[in-house]
Amino acid sequence: MAQYTRVAGSVGLITLQNPPVNALSAMVRQGVVDTMERALSAPEVKSLVICGQKETFCGGADIREFGTKMSGPPLTPLIHAIEASTKPVVAAIEGVALGQTGASRGDSGSTAS
Ligand SMILES: C[C@H](O)[C@H](C)C(=O)SCCNC(=O)CCNC(=O)[C@H](O)C(C)(C)COP(=O)([O-])OP(=O)([O-])OC[C@H]1O[C@@H](n2cnc3c(N)ncnc32)[C@H](O)[C@@H]1OP(=O)([O-])[O-]
């Protein structure tokens, strides 16, 4: 899933939550759609941060769903929607960021769109 919290008053924090590597399952993708809508429609939110948990950003698509019937929002339009956000979106990356989340393994860092 994706948890939504507001930090520092004006930052919408979206936390990817899908142990063990926060992979982008159908539920996580739907959670990102829902939390993005919530953050973008909240006047008090001026920017968004997307992060993972347990020292991992995201292991990419959820390989446990490979070979099963696709459900939930497709990944590519979701990434395009993040890129088209009307508010700045920062990916706070710790550990791995694989697949379409950006194939990298960084100790920490962030990218903005
Ligand atoms: C176009 C776009 O590209 C498309 C859309 C895609 O995105 S394609 C998908 C792209 N993503 C991948 O190919 C990621 C492959 N995984 C890895 O490279 C590594 O796992 C790791 C992330 C660097 C962590 O290494 P690790 O050594 O710390 O732990 P582990 O022992 O390997 O794995 C620890 C546990 O995590 C599980 N796991 C790892 N990756 C997973 C994933 N993507 N989805 C679901 N579970 C995953 C793994 O099965 C094991 O579970 P269990 O056995 O304990 O129950």
PDB file of all heavy atoms in Angstrom, residues 18-25 56 58-66 75-76 79 96-105, ligand 1:
ATOM      1  N   ASN A  18       5.362  -2.201   1.114  1.00  0.00           N
ATOM      2  CA  ASN A  18       5.075  -3.557   0.607  1.00  0.00           C
ATOM      3  C   ASN A  18       6.284  -4.423   0.899  1.00  0.00           C
ATOM      4  O   ASN A  18       7.128  -4.646   0.021  1.00  0.00           O
ATOM      5  CB  ASN A  18       4.773  -3.509  -0.897  1.00  0.00           C
ATOM      6  CG  ASN A  18       4.403  -4.880  -1.465  1.00  0.00           C
ATOM      7  OD1 ASN A  18       4.069  -5.806  -0.733  1.00  0.00           O
ATOM      8  ND2 ASN A  18       4.506  -5.024  -2.783  1.00  0.00           N
ATOM      9  N   PRO A  19       6.414  -4.886   2.141  1.00  0.00           N
ATOM     10  CA  PRO A  19       7.594  -5.690   2.506  1.00  0.00           C
ATOM     11  C   PRO A  19       7.730  -6.910   1.590  1.00  0.00           C
ATOM     12  O   PRO A  19       6.705  -7.441   1.138  1.00  0.00           O
ATOM     13  CB  PRO A  19       7.285  -6.125   3.955  1.00  0.00           C
ATOM     14  CG  PRO A  19       6.241  -5.180   4.443  1.00  0.00           C
ATOM     15  CD  PRO A  19       5.470  -4.758   3.239  1.00  0.00           C
ATOM     16  N   PRO A  20       8.961  -7.325   1.265  1.00  0.00           N
ATOM     17  CA  PRO A  20      10.218  -6.857   1.877  1.00  0.00           C
ATOM     18  C   PRO A  20      10.909  -5.730   1.120  1.00  0.00           C
ATOM     19  O   PRO A  20      11.832  -5.138   1.648  1.00  0.00           O
ATOM     20  CB  PRO A  20      11.084  -8.127   1.834  1.00  0.00           C
ATOM     21  CG  PRO A  20      10.601  -8.875   0.636  1.00  0.00           C
ATOM     22  CD  PRO A  20       9.130  -8.594   0.518  1.00  0.00           C
ATOM     23  N   VAL A  21      10.495  -5.413  -0.134  1.00  0.00           N
ATOM     24  CA  VAL A  21      11.271  -4.413  -0.889  1.00  0.00           C
ATOM     25  C   VAL A  21      10.380  -3.305  -1.470  1.00  0.00           C
ATOM     26  O   VAL A  21      10.772  -2.630  -2.412  1.00  0.00           O
ATOM     27  CB  VAL A  21      12.125  -5.075  -1.993  1.00  0.00           C
ATOM     28  CG1 VAL A  21      13.185  -6.006  -1.395  1.00  0.00           C
ATOM     29  CG2 VAL A  21      11.238  -5.844  -2.973  1.00  0.00           C
ATOM     30  N   ASN A  22       9.162  -3.149  -0.910  1.00  0.00           N
ATOM     31  CA  ASN A  22       8.262  -2.070  -1.348  1.00  0.00           C
ATOM     32  C   ASN A  22       8.014  -2.144  -2.864  1.00  0.00           C
ATOM     33  O   ASN A  22       7.964  -1.114  -3.544  1.00  0.00           O
ATOM     34  CB  ASN A  22       8.815  -0.696  -0.973  1.00  0.00           C
ATOM     35  CG  ASN A  22       9.218  -0.615   0.472  1.00  0.00           C
ATOM     36  OD1 ASN A  22       8.505  -1.111   1.360  1.00  0.00           O
ATOM     37  ND2 ASN A  22      10.393  -0.050   0.751  1.00  0.00           N
ATOM     38  N   ALA A  23       7.865  -3.382  -3.357  1.00  0.00           N
ATOM     39  CA  ALA A  23       7.639  -3.565  -4.801  1.00  0.00           C
ATOM     40  C   ALA A  23       6.277  -2.994  -5.204  1.00  0.00           C
ATOM     41  O   ALA A  23       5.361  -2.892  -4.389  1.00  0.00           O
ATOM     42  CB  ALA A  23       7.718  -5.054  -5.144  1.00  0.00           C
ATOM     43  N   LEU A  24       6.198  -2.612  -6.463  1.00  0.00           N
ATOM     44  CA  LEU A  24       5.020  -1.897  -6.968  1.00  0.00           C
ATOM     45  C   LEU A  24       3.903  -2.877  -7.338  1.00  0.00           C
ATOM     46  O   LEU A  24       3.553  -3.055  -8.496  1.00  0.00           O
ATOM     47  CB  LEU A  24       5.423  -1.039  -8.172  1.00  0.00           C
ATOM     48  CG  LEU A  24       6.363   0.130  -7.845  1.00  0.00           C
ATOM     49  CD1 LEU A  24       6.841   0.790  -9.120  1.00  0.00           C
ATOM     50  CD2 LEU A  24       5.703   1.125  -6.919  1.00  0.00           C
ATOM     51  N   SER A  25       3.312  -3.485  -6.302  1.00  0.00           N
ATOM     52  CA  SER A  25       2.162  -4.372  -6.538  1.00  0.00           C
ATOM     53  C   SER A  25       0.954  -3.538  -6.956  1.00  0.00           C
ATOM     54  O   SER A  25       0.971  -2.303  -6.885  1.00  0.00           O
ATOM     55  CB  SER A  25       1.836  -5.103  -5.232  1.00  0.00           C
ATOM     56  OG  SER A  25       1.400  -4.148  -4.268  1.00  0.00           O
ATOM     57  N   THR A  56      14.934   0.647   2.088  1.00  0.00           N
ATOM     58  CA  THR A  56      14.765   0.285   0.673  1.00  0.00           C
ATOM     59  C   THR A  56      13.725   1.217   0.059  1.00  0.00           C
ATOM     60  O   THR A  56      12.656   1.400   0.642  1.00  0.00           O
ATOM     61  CB  THR A  56      14.296  -1.185   0.556  1.00  0.00           C
ATOM     62  OG1 THR A  56      15.301  -2.037   1.114  1.00  0.00           O
ATOM     63  CG2 THR A  56      14.050  -1.575  -0.890  1.00  0.00           C
ATOM     64  N   CYS A  58      12.508   0.970  -3.512  1.00  0.00           N
ATOM     65  CA  CYS A  58      11.549   0.127  -4.236  1.00  0.00           C
ATOM     66  C   CYS A  58      12.273  -0.918  -5.080  1.00  0.00           C
ATOM     67  O   CYS A  58      13.234  -0.601  -5.776  1.00  0.00           O
ATOM     68  CB  CYS A  58      10.675   0.988  -5.142  1.00  0.00           C
ATOM     69  SG  CYS A  58       9.434   0.053  -6.038  1.00  0.00           S
ATOM     70  N   GLY A  59      11.828  -2.140  -5.013  1.00  0.00           N
ATOM     71  CA  GLY A  59      12.439  -3.223  -5.811  1.00  0.00           C
ATOM     72  C   GLY A  59      11.818  -3.366  -7.195  1.00  0.00           C
ATOM     73  O   GLY A  59      11.958  -4.398  -7.824  1.00  0.00           O
ATOM     74  N   GLY A  60      11.121  -2.309  -7.657  1.00  0.00           N
ATOM     75  CA  GLY A  60      10.519  -2.353  -8.998  1.00  0.00           C
ATOM     76  C   GLY A  60       9.175  -3.049  -8.970  1.00  0.00           C
ATOM     77  O   GLY A  60       8.538  -3.135  -7.919  1.00  0.00           O
ATOM     78  N   ALA A  61       8.764  -3.565 -10.137  1.00  0.00           N
ATOM     79  CA  ALA A  61       7.484  -4.279 -10.198  1.00  0.00           C
ATOM     80  C   ALA A  61       7.509  -5.445  -9.203  1.00  0.00           C
ATOM     81  O   ALA A  61       8.563  -5.979  -8.867  1.00  0.00           O
ATOM     82  CB  ALA A  61       7.250  -4.793 -11.610  1.00  0.00           C
ATOM     83  N   ASP A  62       6.314  -5.823  -8.763  1.00  0.00           N
ATOM     84  CA  ASP A  62       6.226  -6.937  -7.804  1.00  0.00           C
ATOM     85  C   ASP A  62       6.304  -8.256  -8.579  1.00  0.00           C
ATOM     86  O   ASP A  62       5.347  -8.646  -9.254  1.00  0.00           O
ATOM     87  CB  ASP A  62       4.905  -6.850  -7.018  1.00  0.00           C
ATOM     88  CG  ASP A  62       4.925  -7.770  -5.799  1.00  0.00           C
ATOM     89  OD1 ASP A  62       5.500  -8.874  -5.921  1.00  0.00           O
ATOM     90  OD2 ASP A  62       4.392  -7.362  -4.745  1.00  0.00           O
ATOM     91  N   ILE A  63       7.468  -8.907  -8.450  1.00  0.00           N
ATOM     92  CA  ILE A  63       7.677 -10.134  -9.245  1.00  0.00           C
ATOM     93  C   ILE A  63       6.699 -11.231  -8.835  1.00  0.00           C
ATOM     94  O   ILE A  63       6.477 -12.182  -9.559  1.00  0.00           O
ATOM     95  CB  ILE A  63       9.143 -10.609  -9.161  1.00  0.00           C
ATOM     96  CG1 ILE A  63       9.568 -10.859  -7.716  1.00  0.00           C
ATOM     97  CG2 ILE A  63      10.062  -9.632  -9.867  1.00  0.00           C
ATOM     98  CD1 ILE A  63      11.004 -11.360  -7.564  1.00  0.00           C
ATOM     99  N   ARG A  64       6.088 -11.090  -7.652  1.00  0.00           N
ATOM    100  CA  ARG A  64       5.104 -12.097  -7.224  1.00  0.00           C
ATOM    101  C   ARG A  64       3.839 -12.021  -8.078  1.00  0.00           C
ATOM    102  O   ARG A  64       3.013 -12.912  -8.073  1.00  0.00           O
ATOM    103  CB  ARG A  64       4.768 -11.905  -5.734  1.00  0.00           C
ATOM    104  CG  ARG A  64       5.968 -12.152  -4.817  1.00  0.00           C
ATOM    105  CD  ARG A  64       5.744 -11.685  -3.398  1.00  0.00           C
ATOM    106  NE  ARG A  64       5.635 -10.210  -3.338  1.00  0.00           N
ATOM    107  CZ  ARG A  64       5.761  -9.539  -2.195  1.00  0.00           C
ATOM    108  NH1 ARG A  64       5.957 -10.177  -1.047  1.00  0.00           N
ATOM    109  NH2 ARG A  64       5.678  -8.223  -2.181  1.00  0.00           N
ATOM    110  N   GLU A  65       3.680 -10.894  -8.809  1.00  0.00           N
ATOM    111  CA  GLU A  65       2.499 -10.754  -9.662  1.00  0.00           C
ATOM    112  C   GLU A  65       2.770 -11.200 -11.102  1.00  0.00           C
ATOM    113  O   GLU A  65       1.831 -11.281 -11.905  1.00  0.00           O
ATOM    114  CB  GLU A  65       2.009  -9.301  -9.658  1.00  0.00           C
ATOM    115  CG  GLU A  65       1.465  -8.844  -8.317  1.00  0.00           C
ATOM    116  CD  GLU A  65       0.907  -7.432  -8.334  1.00  0.00           C
ATOM    117  OE1 GLU A  65       1.199  -6.664  -9.298  1.00  0.00           O
ATOM    118  OE2 GLU A  65       0.180  -7.076  -7.391  1.00  0.00           O
ATOM    119  N   PHE A  66       4.061 -11.453 -11.406  1.00  0.00           N
ATOM    120  CA  PHE A  66       4.397 -11.895 -12.766  1.00  0.00           C
ATOM    121  C   PHE A  66       3.660 -13.198 -13.047  1.00  0.00           C
ATOM    122  O   PHE A  66       3.569 -14.072 -12.174  1.00  0.00           O
ATOM    123  CB  PHE A  66       5.913 -12.079 -12.924  1.00  0.00           C
ATOM    124  CG  PHE A  66       6.676 -10.784 -13.024  1.00  0.00           C
ATOM    125  CD1 PHE A  66       6.054  -9.552 -12.865  1.00  0.00           C
ATOM    126  CD2 PHE A  66       8.039 -10.799 -13.281  1.00  0.00           C
ATOM    127  CE1 PHE A  66       6.768  -8.359 -12.943  1.00  0.00           C
ATOM    128  CE2 PHE A  66       8.777  -9.617 -13.369  1.00  0.00           C
ATOM    129  CZ  PHE A  66       8.131  -8.388 -13.185  1.00  0.00           C
ATOM    130  N   LEU A  75       1.566   0.718 -14.652  1.00  0.00           N
ATOM    131  CA  LEU A  75       2.721   1.435 -14.099  1.00  0.00           C
ATOM    132  C   LEU A  75       3.110   2.658 -14.927  1.00  0.00           C
ATOM    133  O   LEU A  75       3.316   3.750 -14.382  1.00  0.00           O
ATOM    134  CB  LEU A  75       3.895   0.473 -13.980  1.00  0.00           C
ATOM    135  CG  LEU A  75       5.175   1.020 -13.339  1.00  0.00           C
ATOM    136  CD1 LEU A  75       4.901   1.554 -11.939  1.00  0.00           C
ATOM    137  CD2 LEU A  75       6.244  -0.055 -13.304  1.00  0.00           C
ATOM    138  N   THR A  76       3.179   2.497 -16.231  1.00  0.00           N
ATOM    139  CA  THR A  76       3.693   3.606 -17.054  1.00  0.00           C
ATOM    140  C   THR A  76       2.840   4.871 -16.940  1.00  0.00           C
ATOM    141  O   THR A  76       3.377   5.951 -16.657  1.00  0.00           O
ATOM    142  CB  THR A  76       3.845   3.152 -18.521  1.00  0.00           C
ATOM    143  OG1 THR A  76       4.757   2.038 -18.551  1.00  0.00           O
ATOM    144  CG2 THR A  76       4.394   4.281 -19.372  1.00  0.00           C
ATOM    145  N   ILE A  79       3.609   6.599 -13.684  1.00  0.00           N
ATOM    146  CA  ILE A  79       4.877   7.347 -13.685  1.00  0.00           C
ATOM    147  C   ILE A  79       4.733   8.649 -14.465  1.00  0.00           C
ATOM    148  O   ILE A  79       5.193   9.715 -14.038  1.00  0.00           O
ATOM    149  CB  ILE A  79       6.000   6.450 -14.252  1.00  0.00           C
ATOM    150  CG1 ILE A  79       6.302   5.337 -13.225  1.00  0.00           C
ATOM    151  CG2 ILE A  79       7.244   7.266 -14.574  1.00  0.00           C
ATOM    152  CD1 ILE A  79       7.294   4.326 -13.670  1.00  0.00           C
ATOM    153  N   VAL A  96      17.839   0.352  -2.673  1.00  0.00           N
ATOM    154  CA  VAL A  96      17.606   0.060  -4.089  1.00  0.00           C
ATOM    155  C   VAL A  96      16.411   0.812  -4.639  1.00  0.00           C
ATOM    156  O   VAL A  96      15.467   1.123  -3.930  1.00  0.00           O
ATOM    157  CB  VAL A  96      17.392  -1.457  -4.317  1.00  0.00           C
ATOM    158  CG1 VAL A  96      18.640  -2.246  -4.012  1.00  0.00           C
ATOM    159  CG2 VAL A  96      16.190  -1.967  -3.541  1.00  0.00           C
ATOM    160  N   ALA A  97      16.553   1.162  -5.928  1.00  0.00           N
ATOM    161  CA  ALA A  97      15.440   1.748  -6.689  1.00  0.00           C
ATOM    162  C   ALA A  97      15.502   1.083  -8.054  1.00  0.00           C
ATOM    163  O   ALA A  97      16.276   1.488  -8.910  1.00  0.00           O
ATOM    164  CB  ALA A  97      15.584   3.260  -6.813  1.00  0.00           C
ATOM    165  N   LEU A  98      14.762  -0.004  -8.204  1.00  0.00           N
ATOM    166  CA  LEU A  98      14.909  -0.861  -9.391  1.00  0.00           C
ATOM    167  C   LEU A  98      13.721  -0.736 -10.329  1.00  0.00           C
ATOM    168  O   LEU A  98      12.705  -0.149  -9.987  1.00  0.00           O
ATOM    169  CB  LEU A  98      15.083  -2.322  -8.953  1.00  0.00           C
ATOM    170  CG  LEU A  98      16.338  -2.596  -8.133  1.00  0.00           C
ATOM    171  CD1 LEU A  98      16.354  -4.038  -7.678  1.00  0.00           C
ATOM    172  CD2 LEU A  98      17.604  -2.287  -8.914  1.00  0.00           C
ATOM    173  N   GLY A  99      13.930  -1.314 -11.535  1.00  0.00           N
ATOM    174  CA  GLY A  99      12.872  -1.291 -12.531  1.00  0.00           C
ATOM    175  C   GLY A  99      12.568   0.138 -12.932  1.00  0.00           C
ATOM    176  O   GLY A  99      13.458   0.968 -13.017  1.00  0.00           O
ATOM    177  N   GLN A 100      11.285   0.441 -13.100  1.00  0.00           N
ATOM    178  CA  GLN A 100      10.947   1.780 -13.585  1.00  0.00           C
ATOM    179  C   GLN A 100      11.076   2.828 -12.495  1.00  0.00           C
ATOM    180  O   GLN A 100      10.829   3.990 -12.706  1.00  0.00           O
ATOM    181  CB  GLN A 100       9.542   1.797 -14.185  1.00  0.00           C
ATOM    182  CG  GLN A 100       9.528   1.151 -15.561  1.00  0.00           C
ATOM    183  CD  GLN A 100       8.228   1.394 -16.288  1.00  0.00           C
ATOM    184  OE1 GLN A 100       7.166   1.364 -15.674  1.00  0.00           O
ATOM    185  NE2 GLN A 100       8.303   1.596 -17.586  1.00  0.00           N
ATOM    186  N   THR A 101      11.444   2.423 -11.302  1.00  0.00           N
ATOM    187  CA  THR A 101      11.675   3.446 -10.262  1.00  0.00           C
ATOM    188  C   THR A 101      13.094   3.970 -10.392  1.00  0.00           C
ATOM    189  O   THR A 101      13.552   4.737  -9.593  1.00  0.00           O
ATOM    190  CB  THR A 101      11.471   2.863  -8.857  1.00  0.00           C
ATOM    191  OG1 THR A 101      12.410   1.785  -8.667  1.00  0.00           O
ATOM    192  CG2 THR A 101      10.061   2.371  -8.675  1.00  0.00           C
ATOM    193  N   GLY A 102      13.819   3.444 -11.427  1.00  0.00           N
ATOM    194  CA  GLY A 102      15.174   3.937 -11.642  1.00  0.00           C
ATOM    195  C   GLY A 102      16.151   2.910 -11.193  1.00  0.00           C
ATOM    196  O   GLY A 102      16.388   2.783 -10.006  1.00  0.00           O
ATOM    197  N   ALA A 103      16.775   2.145 -12.097  1.00  0.00           N
ATOM    198  CA  ALA A 103      17.653   1.053 -11.698  1.00  0.00           C
ATOM    199  C   ALA A 103      18.898   1.647 -11.072  1.00  0.00           C
ATOM    200  O   ALA A 103      19.765   2.161 -11.739  1.00  0.00           O
ATOM    201  CB  ALA A 103      18.022   0.175 -12.892  1.00  0.00           C
ATOM    202  N   SER A 104      18.922   1.624  -9.783  1.00  0.00           N
ATOM    203  CA  SER A 104      20.120   2.147  -9.107  1.00  0.00           C
ATOM    204  C   SER A 104      20.160   1.516  -7.721  1.00  0.00           C
ATOM    205  O   SER A 104      19.184   0.969  -7.241  1.00  0.00           O
ATOM    206  CB  SER A 104      20.033   3.669  -8.946  1.00  0.00           C
ATOM    207  OG  SER A 104      19.021   3.978  -7.997  1.00  0.00           O
ATOM    208  N   ARG A 105      21.283   1.580  -7.117  1.00  0.00           N
ATOM    209  CA  ARG A 105      21.396   1.125  -5.736  1.00  0.00           C
ATOM    210  C   ARG A 105      22.207   2.197  -5.031  1.00  0.00           C
ATOM    211  O   ARG A 105      23.419   2.217  -5.122  1.00  0.00           O
ATOM    212  CB  ARG A 105      22.097  -0.237  -5.643  1.00  0.00           C
ATOM    213  CG  ARG A 105      22.124  -0.722  -4.193  1.00  0.00           C
ATOM    214  CD  ARG A 105      22.526  -2.174  -4.064  1.00  0.00           C
ATOM    215  NE  ARG A 105      22.305  -2.590  -2.685  1.00  0.00           N
ATOM    216  CZ  ARG A 105      21.674  -3.718  -2.380  1.00  0.00           C
ATOM    217  NH1 ARG A 105      21.243  -4.502  -3.320  1.00  0.00           N
ATOM    218  NH2 ARG A 105      21.482  -4.059  -1.131  1.00  0.00           N
TER     219      ARG A 105
HETATM  220  C1  LIG B   1      10.009  -2.091 -16.781  1.00  0.00           C
HETATM  221  C2  LIG B   1      10.421  -2.364 -15.331  1.00  0.00           C
HETATM  222  O1  LIG B   1      11.754  -2.655 -15.279  1.00  0.00           O
HETATM  223  C3  LIG B   1       9.607  -3.525 -14.775  1.00  0.00           C
HETATM  224  C4  LIG B   1       8.202  -3.030 -14.571  1.00  0.00           C
HETATM  225  C5  LIG B   1      10.205  -3.980 -13.479  1.00  0.00           C
HETATM  226  O2  LIG B   1      10.239  -3.270 -12.507  1.00  0.00           O
HETATM  227  S1  LIG B   1      10.817  -5.601 -13.494  1.00  0.00           S
HETATM  228  C6  LIG B   1      11.247  -5.971 -11.805  1.00  0.00           C
HETATM  229  C7  LIG B   1      12.522  -5.277 -11.497  1.00  0.00           C
HETATM  230  N1  LIG B   1      12.959  -5.623 -10.138  1.00  0.00           N
HETATM  231  C8  LIG B   1      13.758  -6.648  -9.928  1.00  0.00           C
HETATM  232  O3  LIG B   1      14.161  -7.343 -10.833  1.00  0.00           O
HETATM  233  C9  LIG B   1      14.187  -6.829  -8.500  1.00  0.00           C
HETATM  234  C10 LIG B   1      14.844  -8.158  -8.300  1.00  0.00           C
HETATM  235  N2  LIG B   1      15.285  -8.243  -6.909  1.00  0.00           N
HETATM  236  C11 LIG B   1      16.551  -7.907  -6.574  1.00  0.00           C
HETATM  237  O4  LIG B   1      17.371  -7.468  -7.388  1.00  0.00           O
HETATM  238  C12 LIG B   1      16.946  -8.110  -5.158  1.00  0.00           C
HETATM  239  O5  LIG B   1      16.003  -8.974  -4.536  1.00  0.00           O
HETATM  240  C13 LIG B   1      17.003  -6.823  -4.358  1.00  0.00           C
HETATM  241  C14 LIG B   1      15.714  -6.022  -4.519  1.00  0.00           C
HETATM  242  C15 LIG B   1      18.218  -5.987  -4.810  1.00  0.00           C
HETATM  243  C16 LIG B   1      17.181  -7.157  -2.868  1.00  0.00           C
HETATM  244  O6  LIG B   1      18.289  -8.040  -2.758  1.00  0.00           O
HETATM  245  P1  LIG B   1      18.617  -8.719  -1.357  1.00  0.00           P
HETATM  246  O7  LIG B   1      19.783  -9.624  -1.564  1.00  0.00           O
HETATM  247  O8  LIG B   1      18.685  -7.652  -0.287  1.00  0.00           O
HETATM  248  O9  LIG B   1      17.328  -9.616  -0.986  1.00  0.00           O
HETATM  249  P2  LIG B   1      16.797 -10.921  -1.766  1.00  0.00           P
HETATM  250  O10 LIG B   1      17.158 -12.128  -0.921  1.00  0.00           O
HETATM  251  O11 LIG B   1      17.211 -10.905  -3.187  1.00  0.00           O
HETATM  252  O12 LIG B   1      15.207 -10.711  -1.722  1.00  0.00           O
HETATM  253  C17 LIG B   1      14.621 -10.524  -0.418  1.00  0.00           C
HETATM  254  C18 LIG B   1      13.159 -10.832  -0.577  1.00  0.00           C
HETATM  255  O13 LIG B   1      12.579  -9.827  -1.435  1.00  0.00           O
HETATM  256  C19 LIG B   1      11.873 -10.445  -2.475  1.00  0.00           C
HETATM  257  N3  LIG B   1      11.903  -9.580  -3.664  1.00  0.00           N
HETATM  258  C20 LIG B   1      12.983  -9.060  -4.247  1.00  0.00           C
HETATM  259  N4  LIG B   1      12.644  -8.296  -5.295  1.00  0.00           N
HETATM  260  C21 LIG B   1      11.291  -8.342  -5.367  1.00  0.00           C
HETATM  261  C22 LIG B   1      10.307  -7.758  -6.246  1.00  0.00           C
HETATM  262  N5  LIG B   1      10.650  -6.948  -7.265  1.00  0.00           N
HETATM  263  N6  LIG B   1       8.991  -8.015  -6.015  1.00  0.00           N
HETATM  264  C23 LIG B   1       8.628  -8.821  -4.982  1.00  0.00           C
HETATM  265  N7  LIG B   1       9.498  -9.405  -4.119  1.00  0.00           N
HETATM  266  C24 LIG B   1      10.816  -9.165  -4.322  1.00  0.00           C
HETATM  267  C25 LIG B   1      12.575 -11.754  -2.698  1.00  0.00           C
HETATM  268  O14 LIG B   1      11.720 -12.663  -3.346  1.00  0.00           O
HETATM  269  C26 LIG B   1      12.884 -12.165  -1.259  1.00  0.00           C
HETATM  270  O15 LIG B   1      11.683 -12.660  -0.691  1.00  0.00           O
HETATM  271  P3  LIG B   1      11.762 -13.925   0.315  1.00  0.00           P
HETATM  272  O16 LIG B   1      12.429 -15.065  -0.436  1.00  0.00           O
HETATM  273  O17 LIG B   1      12.595 -13.474   1.497  1.00  0.00           O
HETATM  274  O18 LIG B   1      10.309 -14.229   0.673  1.00  0.00           O
END
